[in-house]
Amino acid sequence: MPWINTIRTLYLAFYSKHTYIRAAREWKGIGYGYLFVMIFLSTLCIGIWVHTWTNVAIGQIEKLILPQLPTMTFKQGRLSIDKDLPYVITVNGKNIARFDKTDVQPALPEDFAPLVVGETGCAHYVRGHGLVREWIYKKVFSAIIEPLGIAKYIAFLKTWLGLIVTLVLLPIHFGFVASQTLLLGLIGRVFTNTMNFILSYSKLVRVSVVAVTPGVVLGTILIVTNQFFPLWLGIYSVMAAVYLFYGVYCNKHADDHIFDGMSMDDGYPETTEFDADTY
């Protein structure tokens, strides 16, 4: 199957009945070559999106916070800095972090800071709700953290985080969608039984691979446009099942379409024989 026709499945899966017919009857194996390409492109787009937004967020940290960071020395569970205490980091006139002898929030409202760093521990506060979480330094921990060292890590993240996310997410994303197609193949058997129609499990998996395409494509678009919402995962599952039903129905009536002058203008090479036993 030519690669150009395989890639066109990314949009033909939304509407073309011929795509579902050809996936079942002309694709070889269970269609995971196409699935891997689709997931790779989706994950690559997400990695680029993560890289872009990380650079924006880290750029703000690098510009506004990093120049104010003190050199922090941890020794046997106690912290000291190269600034006089109390020392406050501000962004746009608002207190972000406060270094003091203890991690207790100051009494005056104007001295409030979400993060209070003390000599033996630090604490996170939310205005109006008080203490949210507290961390105590381990007595065996010793280290010196300098702004220059943090700058090196920031430069690393700005350069490589998108690629790291892509490499880590790719097998997870592929495994999730591949397992879903195997489950959809079983659901497809229920659909074929209700239609009094026989389609092998491997062909049902191929149809399932095409059926999940619209959801993967739309989900990727939602993520990279910052429109993703939690309910989408449920909608995605329902959409895959609906397209699977559509694909099974199209294959049931495939011979009717073929011998009734089925159009071959979808970019696939013309096929003159659809013998179910051959494939």
Side-chain angles (χ1 to χ4, degrees):
M1 185 171 53
W3 276 106
I4 186 63
N5 296 330
T6 305
I7 297 301
R8 291 183 65 192
T9 304
L10 290 171
Y11 66 87
L12 290 176
F14 283 87
Y15 63 87
S16 174
K17 60 180 178 288
H18 306 153
T19 301
Y20 289 90
I21 295 171
R22 296 185 189 282
R25 301 197 176 193
E26 292 189 352
W27 287 15
K28 302 302 180 182
I30 51 179
Y32 278 2
Y34 160 75
L35 182 66
F36 179 81
V37 172
M38 177 179 65
I39 296 303
F40 174 76
L41 293 175
S42 171
T43 308
L44 182 62
C45 291
I46 295 173
I48 294 173
W49 172 80
V50 169
H51 180 79
T52 301
W53 281 99
T54 299
N55 273 264
V56 172
I58 290 180
Q60 293 298 312
I61 296 174
E62 190 175 33
K63 178 181 177 181
L64 301 175
I65 298 179
L66 190 59
Q68 302 181 64
L69 277 180
T71 297
M72 294 173 282
T73 302
F74 293 89
K75 188 174 182 180
Q76 296 181 347
R78 299 187 70 86
L79 169 66
S80 62
I81 64 174
D82 61 344
K83 305 288 185 180
D84 294 331
L85 299 177
Y87 177 71
V88 180
I89 295 176
T90 63
V91 174
N92 297 326
K94 295 183 179 180
N95 296 340
I96 298 299
R98 179 184 181 90
F99 291 83
D100 212 333
K101 290 188 175 297
T102 69
D103 59 6
V104 178
Q105 191 67 238
L108 296 178
E110 59 267 26
D111 291 333
F112 175 84
L115 181 65
V116 180
V117 182
E119 291 184 349
T120 59
C122 62
H124 174 216
Y125 294 86
V126 174
R127 191 184 293 273
H129 294 278
L131 178 64
V132 176
R133 190 173 180 182
E134 186 177 21
W135 298 268
I136 304 299
Y137 310 138
K138 293 182 179 180
K139 292 185 177 181
V140 295
F141 179 71
S142 296
I144 298 177
I145 300 177
E146 298 178 320
L148 182 60
I150 296 177
K152 292 180 180 179
Y153 285 108
I154 289 178
F156 175 83
L157 291 176
K158 289 175 65 175
T159 304
W160 300 106
L161 183 60
L163 179 60
I164 293 172
V165 169
T166 300
L167 294 177
V168 172
L169 184 60
L170 179 59
I172 298 174
H173 194 184
F174 178 79
F176 171 76
V177 180
S179 62
Q180 186 182 39
T181 60
L182 295 176
L183 177 59
L184 285 171
L186 297 176
I187 297 175
R189 291 212 164 187
V190 176
F191 291 159
T192 56
N193 289 337
T194 59
M195 297 180 191
N196 295 319
F197 170 58
I198 297 176
L199 203 62
S200 68
Y201 179 70
S202 62
K203 293 179 180 179
L204 287 169
V205 173
R206 295 177 211 157
V207 174
S208 299
V209 168
V210 181
V212 299
T213 296
V216 172
V217 172
L218 290 178
T220 304
I221 293 174
L222 289 174
I223 290 175
V224 299
T225 57
N226 300 314
Q227 302 298 321
F228 187 84
F229 53 96
L231 186 60
W232 168 252
L233 294 177
I235 297 175
Y236 162 74
S237 299
V238 173
M239 182 183 298
V242 171
Y243 270 108
L244 173 63
F245 182 86
Y246 173 69
V248 172
Y249 178 83
C250 291
N251 275 277
K252 175 178 172 59
H253 298 282
D255 293 338
D256 296 338
H257 296 312
I258 293 168
F259 294 110
D260 193 31
M262 184 178 73
S263 173
M264 293 296 176
D265 59 359
D266 279 337
Y268 294 95
E270 185 171 344
T271 301
T272 58
E273 182 177 358
F274 281 83
D275 186 350
D277 295 332
T278 302
Y279 300 93

